[in-house]
Amino acid sequence: QVQLVESGGGLVQPGGSLRLSCAASGSIFSINVMGWYRQAPGKLRELVAAITHGGIANYADSVKGRFTISRDNAKNTVYLQMSSLKPEDTAVYYCNADFRRYSGSPYYTSWGQGTQVTVSS
C-alpha cells in the first residue's frame, strides 16, 4: 500500500499565502510525476500543478505566477507554495503520485485524502 498524506491547508485572507505538503510512504520503488489537484464545490477536479522527478513543472493558467510546486525526491514529498491567494482558489486540494512498486513495474497512481483551503476575509 502507498499512502499520500497532505498537510498545510486552512483559512487565509485574500492576498495571503499557504504552503501545502504531501508525503508519500509505503511500497515505493520510484515516483515519476507528483501533482496537486483541486476540487471546488459543484465543480470537477482540476489539475493545479505537476512536477516530474527531474523537476520539470507545469501549471494551470489560473495559478501561473502565484503558485510554485517543488519536491524533495529523497523524502518522496511534494510541496505547493501558494501566494496572492484569491477566493476562487477555495477548494479541497489533493495530491497524487505516479509510482512504481519495484524496478520495471507498471506505474500506479495514488491519491491523498485532501486538505481544505479556504480564502476568505
Side-chain angles (χ1 to χ4, degrees), residues 39-77:
Q39 188 166 18
K43 294 189 176 182
L44 296 175
R45 190 174 297 188
E46 62 176 359
L47 175 67
V48 176
I51 185 167
T52 68
H53 186 274
I56 298 173
N58 68 284
Y59 299 91
D61 288 342
S62 59
V63 306
K64 282 181 181 177
R66 300 188 298 121
F67 291 9
T68 301
I69 189 170
S70 60
R71 64 188 282 176
D72 184 332
N73 291 327
K75 296 181 179 179
N76 287 337
T77 299

Side-chain angles (χ1 to χ4, degrees), residues 4 30 37 51 67 73-74 77 106 113 119:
L4 300 182
S30 65
Y37 290 71
I51 185 167
F67 291 9
N73 291 327
T77 299
Q113 79 287 353
V119 184

Side-chain angles (χ1 to χ4, degrees), residues 18-98:
L18 278 177
R19 188 190 193 213
L20 306 182
S21 299
C22 172
S25 62
S27 181
I28 299 171
F29 173 75
S30 65
I31 300 177
N32 185 15
V33 178
M34 301 186 81
W36 288 97
Y37 290 71
R38 67 186 181 188
Q39 188 166 18
K43 294 189 176 182
L44 296 175
R45 190 174 297 188
E46 62 176 359
L47 175 67
V48 176
I51 185 167
T52 68
H53 186 274
I56 298 173
N58 68 284
Y59 299 91
D61 288 342
S62 59
V63 306
K64 282 181 181 177
R66 300 188 298 121
F67 291 9
T68 301
I69 189 170
S70 60
R71 64 188 282 176
D72 184 332
N73 291 327
K75 296 181 179 179
N76 287 337
T77 299
V78 63
Y79 307 96
L80 186 68
Q81 178 67 46
M82 305 184 292
S83 303
S84 301
L85 282 161
K86 305 174 181 180
E88 51 263 45
D89 294 317
T90 295
V92 178
Y93 284 70
Y94 300 89
C95 72
N96 87 340
D98 294 333

